[in-house]
């Protein structure tokens, strides 16, 4: 299945005004239909390919170049940025630490076994073999019950461009997500700021992963086991190596191909909460496939890095904002499954970590 690419330019070029009921007053019919297409794709596929003129191929390449250089550094160097006492919520997370839900959730495992063979994920045999780096981006609230969700970032020595590159890519990704969030809200029949108003000062994370294809480049190796993201929306630039599989709402497994210059947006658990399951958190995995093997061979011939880097940003609902079904979604028969909860408390529940009152941080 080819997921269509949504060009954000028409929306960016129009000043949108919405009244209190969420009816769009100044948009053309074509633009309203484009917004409805955004919401339809998020609902039916859990994924969206977008083109944002503010986010260039050069931006993505600059970010990937820096992260390849970082992940190629010796393990001993990278562990200097490890913060296990803060539950890895900033700095580097080594390979072998993150445990995918599909490895420990027996109920999920039974559901996966019941899937048709061609739709089943590759079940991991242990923790993820990827590294990850977490970098908070965006303004922080001056007053919050969840200070530990807004920890100061960790900067590795020898990377003078680190902060500027991380922040630049992060702000560009947030800007793209905000447009998608507005378009989706309009498409769902909500006020255009229904989602973005809840995102203000959220604990957004630039969260690139690094997977060593020189060591773990065998077909079938699982870098990120079958899982969903707990945040609102996730966005990535194009990786230099394929391997991402997603599952559509109908259960179909799809290998994602992100065109050059495009961004991939995926639904997280928080948008599922806000829409009372009209949008489901998108399930996905990252696995070495035959296409990955082919790209490894090509990269080796061209003397390019054999680290598979994702240029990922997790966009969150603000920690002190209340997660609950919005607007007409509150009337859904499924709304009772999604009771009101603070964004920070929701993150605590999902991670199994308590932040408030914990001097050890997040």
């Amino acid at each position: 299945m080819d997921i269509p690419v949504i060009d954000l330019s028409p929306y960016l070029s129009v000043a949108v005004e919405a009244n209190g009921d969420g009816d769009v007053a100044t948009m053309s019919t074509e633009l309203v239909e484009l917004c409805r297409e955004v919401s339809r794709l998020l609902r039916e596929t859990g994924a969206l390919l977008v083109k944002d003129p503010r986010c260039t191929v050069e931006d993505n390449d600059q970010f990937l170049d820096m992260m390849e250089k970082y992940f190629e550094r010796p393990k001993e160097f990278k562990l200097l940025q490890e913060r296990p006492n803060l539950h890895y919520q900033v700095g580097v997370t080594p390979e072998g630490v993150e445990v995918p839900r599909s490895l420990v959730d027996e109920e999920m495992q039974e559901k996966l076994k019941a899937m048709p063979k061609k739709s089943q994920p590759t079940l991991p045999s242990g923790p993820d073999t990827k590294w990850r780096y977490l970098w908070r981006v965006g303004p922080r609230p001056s007053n919050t019950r969840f200070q530990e969700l807004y920890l100061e970032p960790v900067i590795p020595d020898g990377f003078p461009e680190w902060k500027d590159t991380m922040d630049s890519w992060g702000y560009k990704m947030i800007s793209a997500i905000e447009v998608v969030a507005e378009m989706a809200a309009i498409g769902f029949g909500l006020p255009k700021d229904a989602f973005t108003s809840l995102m203000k000062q959220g604990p957004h994370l630039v969260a690139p992963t690094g997977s060593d294809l020189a060591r773990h480049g065998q077909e079938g190796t699982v870098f990120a086991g079958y899982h969903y993201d707990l945040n609102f929306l996730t966005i990535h630039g194009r990786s230099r190596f394929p391997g991402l599989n997603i599952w559509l709402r109908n259960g179909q497994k799809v290998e994602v191909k992100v065109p050059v210059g495009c961004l991939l947006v995926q639904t997280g658990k928080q948008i599922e909460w806000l829409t009372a399951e009209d949008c489901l958190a998108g399930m996905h995995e990252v696995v070495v496939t035959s296409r990955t093997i082919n790209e490894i061979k090509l990269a080796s011939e061209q003397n390019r890095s054999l680290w598979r880097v994702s240029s990922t940003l997790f966009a969150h609902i603000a920690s002190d904002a209340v997660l609950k079904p919005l607007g007409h979604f509150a009337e859904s028969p499924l709304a009772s499954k999604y009771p009101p909860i603070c964004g920070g408390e929701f993150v605590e529940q999902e991670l199994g970590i308590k932040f408030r009152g914990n001097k050890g941080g997040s």
Side-chain angles (χ1 to χ4, degrees):
M1 174 184 174
D2 289 325
I3 300 172
V5 175
I6 302 293
D7 189 349
L8 303 184
S9 299
Y11 186 90
L12 288 168
S13 65
V14 173
V16 180
E17 295 179 2
N19 65 25
D21 297 324
D23 295 329
V24 179
T26 61
M27 292 174 64
S28 67
T29 302
E30 291 78 12
L31 203 49
V32 172
E33 285 303 313
L34 188 63
C35 293
R36 288 175 180 159
E37 177 71 352
V38 167
S39 61
R40 182 190 71 80
L41 287 167
L42 292 176
R43 179 189 297 116
E44 295 180 7
T45 71
L48 188 68
L49 289 169
V50 301
K51 192 171 183 63
D52 188 327
R54 302 167 299 178
C55 305
T56 66
V57 174
E58 291 74 23
D59 292 327
N60 193 36
D61 283 343
Q62 181 182 9
F63 183 85
L64 293 179
D65 288 345
M66 184 184 77
M67 292 312 304
E68 285 176 355
K69 180 182 169 187
Y70 172 78
F71 285 124
E72 285 169 352
R73 296 295 298 271
K75 179 179 179 179
E76 294 72 25
F77 172 82
K78 289 180 287 195
L79 291 181
L80 296 174
Q81 291 83 53
E82 183 186 25
R83 299 292 184 270
N85 60 312
L86 302 179
H87 304 291
Y88 300 100
Q89 291 303 293
V90 289
V92 77
T93 304
E95 63 179 61
V97 171
E98 290 191 29
V99 178
R101 198 172 292 254
S102 53
L103 185 67
V104 295
D105 189 329
E106 293 181 2
E107 183 180 347
M108 179 182 284
Q109 291 171 5
E110 290 303 312
K111 289 180 180 178
L112 300 186
K113 290 175 185 175
M115 286 180 174
K117 277 288 184 185
K118 64 179 182 180
S119 296
Q120 289 182 5
T122 304
L123 285 180
S125 57
D128 289 343
T129 55
K130 69 179 186 299
W131 291 70
R132 187 191 293 282
Y133 207 101
L134 294 186
W135 176 271
R136 305 282 173 187
V137 67
R140 291 162 169 76
S142 56
N143 184 27
T144 176
R145 291 182 295 150
F146 302 93
Q147 289 289 351
E148 294 86 353
L149 277 173
Y150 297 88
L151 293 164
E152 288 300 317
V154 179
I155 302 175
D157 290 336
F159 288 82
E161 76 278 27
W162 188 273
K163 185 178 188 305
D164 287 346
T165 303
M166 283 289 198
D167 285 345
S168 174
W169 183 250
Y171 279 110
K172 286 175 186 287
M173 293 294 94
I174 290 172
S175 296
I177 282 282
E178 287 173 342
V179 173
V180 170
E182 284 194 0
M183 294 178 75
I186 291 167
F188 286 129
L190 300 171
K192 74 163 187 173
D193 65 346
F195 298 133
T196 53
S197 61
L198 297 174
M199 291 172 59
K200 289 179 180 176
Q201 297 185 335
H204 310 307
L205 282 168
V206 180
T209 62
S211 304
D212 188 354
L213 295 169
R215 290 179 56 228
H216 304 295
Q218 301 76 34
E219 188 167 353
T221 300
V222 180
F223 287 128
Y226 182 81
H227 69 288
Y228 64 78
D229 294 337
L230 67 87
N231 52 295
F232 174 59
L233 291 172
T234 301
I235 186 168
H236 328 253
R238 185 174 184 268
S239 176
R240 288 169 174 162
F241 294 90
L244 174 65
N245 296 319
I246 67 170
W247 277 258
L248 309 184
R249 195 181 187 109
N250 64 9
Q252 180 185 355
K253 179 181 178 180
V254 176
E255 186 175 3
V256 178
K257 300 175 183 178
V258 180
V260 175
C262 292
L263 307 166
L264 173 67
V265 178
Q266 294 173 274
T267 52
K269 199 68 175 180
Q270 290 177 342
I271 194 172
E272 179 179 315
W273 210 277
L274 296 169
T275 63
E277 225 167 278
D278 195 56
C279 270
L280 292 175
M283 304 304 297
H284 51 283
E285 68 177 2
V286 180
V287 179
V288 176
T289 66
S290 59
R291 288 181 62 233
T292 317
I293 298 293
N294 292 336
E295 196 59 41
I296 291 172
K297 292 176 182 176
L298 182 61
S300 298
E301 292 169 1
Q302 297 175 348
N303 200 30
R304 290 191 282 114
S305 175
L306 292 181
W307 278 84
R308 183 192 188 277
V309 173
S310 70
S311 51
T312 304
L313 180 128
F314 295 131
H316 277 262
I317 298 303
S319 300
D320 295 280
V322 177
L323 274 174
K324 63 180 180 180
L326 301 176
H328 59 87
F329 293 121
E331 307 303 318
S332 165
L334 298 174
S336 60
K337 290 175 59 178
Y338 300 94
I341 183 172
C342 272
E345 292 176 41
F346 174 80
V347 172
E348 287 179 346
Q349 287 186 10
E350 287 287 311
L351 293 179
I353 298 168
K354 188 171 180 62
F355 299 125
R356 290 162 295 158
N358 177 2
K359 293 184 179 178
S362 57

